[in-house]
């Protein structure tokens, strides 16, 4: 039998199954045995060469005289998904290698393909199955998979993952950030089984600029040229047949749609069928574009009333691990009057994006190209581009996502401009239906006004501005009078603005860390924002207090960035209501 080659159009995306929620799968979540290995003794010999029999072999003593200086089964355990820092007190500050091991039973089906799928591991993962290395993945917030069809056994299997979250200068993110470097297998792990010939990926959205033409493709692995792929949208009474060529079936058809928007987060069941496989997804359709300094959703101006969110769990801190935690965060954003969220500073889980989409939030998604990454290093670029590819590959069918952000607060300079220009065009090459943005903290002055003049403004479609008037510079009362100007006729989103407060701490309006001070920062910045006629939205910093190892003021911060509108214990601060009033009463 001759199988067709994969097609270049789907090949530029990451090799990731689309919509794993709909796949047949076995969960590998739960307790894993772990070994904390700061010296990477399970990996390197005393000559610092890779050991052929590292901890991934899970060797056991057989003779009383055997010397094996590790034993997963009498060591610690951790829950997956989950970060290690909040599960074990001793690992609170830990950055380095932890070995994870799980034995699991598996029943292999006939004529199927099996994937070992990791939703995210921070940061470097080296994965072994039954003692054999499958590969390495870099990047803490995006999914990756291995085809393990030939390596998985019926009966007991052993998966070992070397997880290393050491910060690295050349990595994405680089060595310094303002969030906790939570290590571990932070999102779910699955063994996914598909028929041998299966639907592996698809991209089904409105054609750029259209409100009634759905353009798309479906990729089939191990399919044959000439094979039929059916795309059905029962609600629209549509059933389209497309033909597979080089592993991909393309189609385009007209439809009269109820367009997705925050007020109408309509998702259609879309059924994809081939003889041997079937996938159902819930997909929304909307048009997003800019016109001068306006953002238009489905042809109408929309003001993005947003909030920035870190992927940090309410009430208990640590990484978000459940859909309930996503819902709590999103419910707070709803209460705040938001129609928009900025998922900072890295791709959040697929569950978060899907929940937000159902609840009607427009989404800004970003990769952790943050602060001072090594812009002249080619490997750093390749790493950033790969994380961008994985993010877009996973979420390209989510109508809620309207902005891909390529960077946050990066310092001006030629290597940075080259790097980010390339990254932006990479994003556009993967997805021309959405807008590209970046958050800038670089501003000049002209005629007494703050001026957006960073040349990156030329590259992006929407300009994000991070500005902490009343906190890192100036006094809150001076912010209201600030004027803004821009060299670009493009929409601006105030992607960060805010200040810190310890929930429950009250005092004078000029007393730092009190709720009154923070509320005043918001009042004055809102006044400033009202005066920016090219402002198309805002995502102040931030919904909830979050852990950061940069925040040392023990009596106030205690390792938390206190710019949340809500404390990590779920208590709202005064500023929450100030922003809420603005969002609910602003006639935009
Ligand atoms: C910023 C960063 C954000 C920080 C924030 C702060 O500009 O983009 O990651 O957490 O400021 O609190 O200083």
């Amino acid at each position: 039998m001759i199988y067709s080659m994969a097609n270049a159009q789907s090949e530029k995306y990451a090799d990731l199954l689309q919509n794993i929620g709909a796949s047949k799968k076995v969960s590998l979540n739960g307790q894993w045995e772990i070994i904390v290995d700061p010296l990477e003794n399970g990996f390197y010999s005393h000559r610092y060469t890779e050991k052929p029999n590292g901890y991934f072999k899970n060797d056991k003593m057989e003779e009383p005289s055997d010397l094996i200086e590790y034993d997963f089964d009498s060591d610690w355990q951790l829950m997956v998904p989950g970060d290690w820092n909040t599960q074990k007190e001793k690992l609170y500050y830990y950055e380095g290698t932890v070995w994870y091991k799980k034995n699991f039973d598996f029943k292999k089906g006939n004529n199927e393909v099996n994937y070992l799928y990791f939703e995210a591991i921070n940061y470097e993962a080296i994965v072994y199955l039954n003692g054999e290395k499958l590969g390495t993945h870099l990047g803490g917030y995006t999914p990756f998979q291995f085809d393990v069809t030939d390596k998985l056994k019926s009966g007991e299997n052993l998966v070992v993952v070397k997880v290393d979250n050491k910060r690295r200068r050349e990595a994405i993110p680089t060595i310094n950030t303002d969030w906790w470097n939570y290590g571990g297998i932070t999102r779910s792990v699955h063994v996914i089984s598909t028929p041998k010939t299966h639907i592996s990926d698809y991209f089904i959205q409105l054609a750029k600029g259209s409100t009634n033409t759905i353009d798309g493709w479906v990729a089939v692995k191990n399919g044959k040229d000439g094979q039929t792929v059916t795309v059905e949208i029962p609600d629209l009474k549509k059933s389209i047949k497309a033909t597979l060529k080089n592993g991909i079936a393309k189609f385009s058809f007209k439809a009269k749609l109820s367009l997705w928007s925050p007020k109408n987060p309509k998702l259609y069941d879309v059924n994809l069928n081939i003889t041997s496989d079937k996938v159902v997804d819930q997909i929304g359709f909307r048009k997003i574009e800019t016109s001068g300094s306006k953002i238009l959703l489905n042809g109408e101006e929309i003001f993005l009333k947003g909030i920035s969110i870190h992927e940090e769990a309410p009430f208990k801190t640590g990484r978000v691990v459940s859909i309930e935690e996503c819902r709590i965060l999103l419910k707070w954003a709803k209460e705040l009057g938001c129609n928009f969220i900025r998922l900072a500073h890295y791709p959040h889980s697929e569950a978060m994006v899907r929940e937000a989409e159902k609840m009607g939030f427009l989404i800004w998604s970003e990769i952790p190209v943050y602060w001072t990454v090594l812009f002249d290093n080619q490997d750093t670029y390749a790493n950033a581009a790969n994380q961008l590819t994985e993010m877009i590959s996973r979420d390209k069918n989510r109508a809620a996502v309207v902005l891909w952000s390529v960077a946050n607060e990066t310092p001006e300079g030629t290597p940075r401009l080259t790097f980010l220009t390339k990254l932006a065009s990479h994003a556009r090459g993967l997805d021309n239906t959405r807008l590209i943005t970046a958050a800038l903290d670089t501003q000049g002055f002209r005629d007494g006004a703050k001026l957006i003049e960073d040349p990156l403004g030329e590259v992006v479609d929407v300009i994000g501005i991070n500005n902490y008037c009343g906190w890192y510079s100036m006094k809150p009362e001076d912010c209201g009078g600030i004027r803004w100007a821009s060299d670009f006729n493009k929409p601006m989103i105030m992607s960060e603005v805010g200040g810190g407060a310890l929930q429950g701490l009250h005092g004078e309006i000029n007393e730092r860390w009190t709720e009154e001070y923070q509320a005043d920062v918001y009042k004055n910045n809102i006044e400033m924002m009202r005066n920016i006629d090219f402002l198309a939205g805002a995502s102040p910093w931030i919904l909830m207090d979050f852990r950061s190892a940069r925040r040392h003021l023990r009596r106030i911060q205690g390792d938390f960035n206190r710019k949340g509108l809500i404390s990590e214990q779920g208590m709202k601060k005064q500023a929450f209501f100030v922003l809420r009033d603005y969002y609910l009463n602003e006639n935009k």
Side-chain angles (χ1 to χ4, degrees):
M1 206 178 317
I2 301 169
Y3 292 112
S4 57
M5 304 277 291
N7 181 284
Q9 180 154 7
S10 62
E11 253 185 6
K12 62 186 180 186
Y13 298 91
D15 190 20
L16 283 172
L17 282 174
Q18 185 62 210
N19 185 18
I20 60 155
S23 317
K24 177 182 154 201
K25 54 189 177 300
V26 172
S27 171
L28 298 190
N29 289 348
Q31 298 276 3
W32 288 52
E33 286 73 45
I34 64 138
I35 295 174
V36 180
D37 186 15
L39 300 180
E40 298 176 283
N41 186 50
F43 193 77
Y44 293 115
S45 72
H46 73 304
R47 299 287 179 230
Y48 208 59
T49 56
E50 206 170 316
K51 280 181 177 170
N53 292 320
Y55 289 1
F56 50 89
K57 292 282 187 200
N58 189 32
D59 283 331
K60 296 283 175 198
M61 283 175 55
E62 276 162 19
E63 303 294 326
S65 61
D66 279 353
L67 176 66
I68 295 173
E69 291 185 89
Y70 73 96
D71 176 21
F72 277 105
D73 298 311
S74 59
D75 213 308
W76 286 354
Q77 295 189 323
L78 281 175
M79 281 302 279
V80 169
D83 62 85
W84 61 57
N85 313 76
T86 56
Q87 289 192 61
K88 287 244 179 284
E89 220 178 316
K90 276 194 176 167
L91 298 182
Y92 179 68
Y93 285 116
Y94 185 68
E95 296 182 311
T97 283
V98 172
W99 293 87
Y100 280 72
K101 183 216 77 159
K102 188 158 190 87
N103 296 86
F104 63 97
D105 276 327
F106 195 74
K107 205 166 169 291
K108 286 193 81 162
N110 280 336
N111 216 23
E112 64 178 30
V113 178
N114 310 108
Y115 294 99
L116 183 55
Y117 189 104
F118 295 90
E119 292 195 28
I121 293 182
N122 191 34
Y123 163 81
E124 182 193 77
I126 307 181
V127 182
Y128 305 86
L129 183 64
N130 297 324
E132 214 183 302
K133 190 190 220 167
L134 298 177
T136 301
H137 181 262
L138 295 183
Y141 306 95
T142 43
F144 56 98
Q145 69 185 25
F146 300 100
D147 181 338
V148 291
T149 315
D150 299 334
K151 298 182 178 80
L152 205 59
K153 297 181 294 193
S154 264
E156 200 184 50
N157 290 271
L158 164 76
V159 59
V160 175
V161 187
K162 177 183 183 292
V163 181
D164 182 358
N165 76 333
K166 271 195 294 300
R167 285 169 295 122
R168 307 165 191 202
R169 181 70 187 95
E170 73 287 0
I172 300 290
T174 182
I175 218 137
N176 54 336
T177 65
D178 186 25
W179 69 87
W180 205 267
N181 180 25
Y182 289 117
I185 305 183
T186 50
R187 296 188 193 144
S188 296
V189 186
H190 319 275
V191 179
I192 301 178
S193 299
T194 67
K196 171 141 195 176
T197 300
H198 60 275
I199 295 165
S200 53
D201 198 6
Y202 48 89
F203 191 2
I204 306 172
Q205 290 280 278
L206 281 170
K208 187 180 172 64
S210 167
T211 49
N212 63 359
T213 301
I214 296 177
D215 254 3
W217 52 260
V218 176
V220 175
K221 267 214 181 127
N222 303 321
K224 277 196 285 180
D225 269 11
Q227 198 177 328
T228 302
V229 177
T230 314
V231 181
E232 258 175 28
I233 307 184
D235 244 21
L236 297 172
K237 300 195 170 46
K238 288 273 171 195
S239 178
I240 274 74
K241 291 200 185 318
T243 307
L244 205 63
K245 197 171 167 222
N246 296 333
I248 197 159
K250 294 187 202 170
F251 51 87
S252 178
F253 59 92
K254 292 245 186 263
K256 221 168 159 287
L257 292 155
S258 166
L259 297 172
W260 187 98
S261 73
K263 289 195 181 122
N264 178 45
K266 164 78 185 163
L267 300 176
Y268 288 92
D269 272 352
V270 177
N271 306 333
L272 307 175
N273 288 290
I274 55 175
T275 321
S276 56
D277 196 14
K278 164 175 160 192
V279 173
V280 183
D281 202 347
Q282 287 71 46
I283 300 183
F285 301 96
R286 54 92 196 96
K287 177 166 78 159
I288 191 77
E289 62 196 339
T290 64
S291 167
S293 62
K294 297 182 181 3
I295 293 177
L296 308 181
L297 177 68
N298 302 327
E300 280 172 30
E301 183 180 357
I302 183 160
F303 185 77
L304 306 186
K305 300 176 177 175
I307 190 71
S308 294
I309 305 180
H310 259 298
E311 193 177 42
E312 190 138 319
F315 307 117
K316 66 174 181 39
T317 79
R319 281 278 167 250
V320 167
V321 292
S322 70
I323 196 143
E324 290 72 24
E325 288 164 349
C326 297
R327 286 187 188 132
I328 292 168
L329 295 170
L330 293 168
K331 211 184 103 248
W332 284 336
K334 263 272 133 91
E335 267 182 65
L336 195 56
C338 294
N339 59 14
F340 168 60
I341 50 176
R342 175 184 179 203
L343 298 181
H345 275 303
Y346 37 74
H348 289 212
S349 69
E350 184 170 353
M352 181 68 166
V353 173
R354 282 186 180 262
E355 267 322 285
E357 178 167 76
K358 282 190 226 157
M359 289 171 71
F361 291 104
L362 291 154
I363 299 175
W364 158 321
S365 282
E366 73 189 73
I367 50 167
V369 174
Y370 183 94
W371 291 353
T372 56
V373 310
L374 289 189
F375 291 110
D376 45 15
N377 182 320
Q378 285 189 7
D379 292 342
T380 304
Y381 177 79
N383 184 347
N386 184 54
Q387 294 190 40
L388 187 67
T389 305
E390 289 173 344
M391 172 175 77
I392 294 178
S393 299
R394 193 194 68 182
D395 291 341
K396 60 188 176 302
N397 292 304
R398 303 282 75 78
V401 178
V402 287
L403 288 159
W404 300 125
S405 174
V406 294
N408 181 76
E409 296 190 352
T410 49
E412 275 191 54
T414 308
R416 171 265 207 171
L417 190 60
T418 310
F419 184 109
L420 295 181
T421 304
K422 235 168 104 183
L423 214 49
S425 78
H426 180 65
R428 290 190 177 104
L430 292 167
D431 177 10
N432 72 355
T433 69
R434 293 177 174 83
L435 305 172
I436 305 298
T437 191
L440 313 181
D441 65 343
T442 46
Q443 294 117 34
F445 280 98
R446 186 193 289 153
D447 303 332
K450 275 190 179 277
L451 177 67
I452 306 172
E453 56 176 357
D454 185 328
L456 192 57
E458 200 64 66
V459 176
V460 295
D461 302 307
V462 173
I463 299 171
I465 292 291
N466 294 356
N467 186 262
Y468 283 88
C469 186
W471 189 257
Y472 290 128
S473 68
M474 304 177 60
K475 297 224 174 305
E477 62 266 30
D478 298 328
C479 305
I482 293 180
R483 298 282 173 274
W484 283 80
S486 177
D487 276 352
F488 311 97
N489 181 23
K490 294 185 180 184
M492 160 189 174
I493 293 177
M494 192 60 88
S495 40
E496 286 179 33
V497 66
L502 180 64
Q503 186 275 322
L505 186 69
H506 294 283
E508 296 302 316
I509 216 165
N510 63 357
E511 228 179 299
R512 283 255 179 191
W513 305 114
T514 61
E515 289 195 31
E516 287 73 11
Y517 187 104
Q518 186 193 35
D520 196 44
V521 167
Y522 269 80
K523 275 183 207 142
N524 284 287
N525 276 281
I526 288 168
E527 203 178 314
M528 176 185 81
M529 290 196 282
R530 283 201 173 107
N531 291 328
I532 308 173
D533 53 13
F534 49 91
L535 190 75
S539 52
W541 196 253
I542 185 171
L543 183 65
M544 190 184 78
D545 290 351
F546 61 97
R547 274 205 203 279
S548 167
R550 295 170 68 82
R551 307 296 172 176
H552 297 138
L553 189 59
R554 188 58 55 203
R555 73 193 160 86
I556 301 285
Q557 295 174 312
D559 294 342
F560 279 92
N561 182 315
R562 292 283 175 213
K563 295 191 190 70
L565 296 174
I566 302 177
S567 74
E568 78 281 9
Q569 295 304 332
M571 303 293 283
K572 297 186 177 90
K573 306 178 192 174
Q574 287 180 9
F576 180 95
F577 300 97
V578 175
L579 185 61
R580 185 167 179 265
D581 278 353
Y582 172 52
Y583 283 161
L584 296 184
N585 300 322
E586 197 74 357
N587 217 359
K588 285 196 179 192

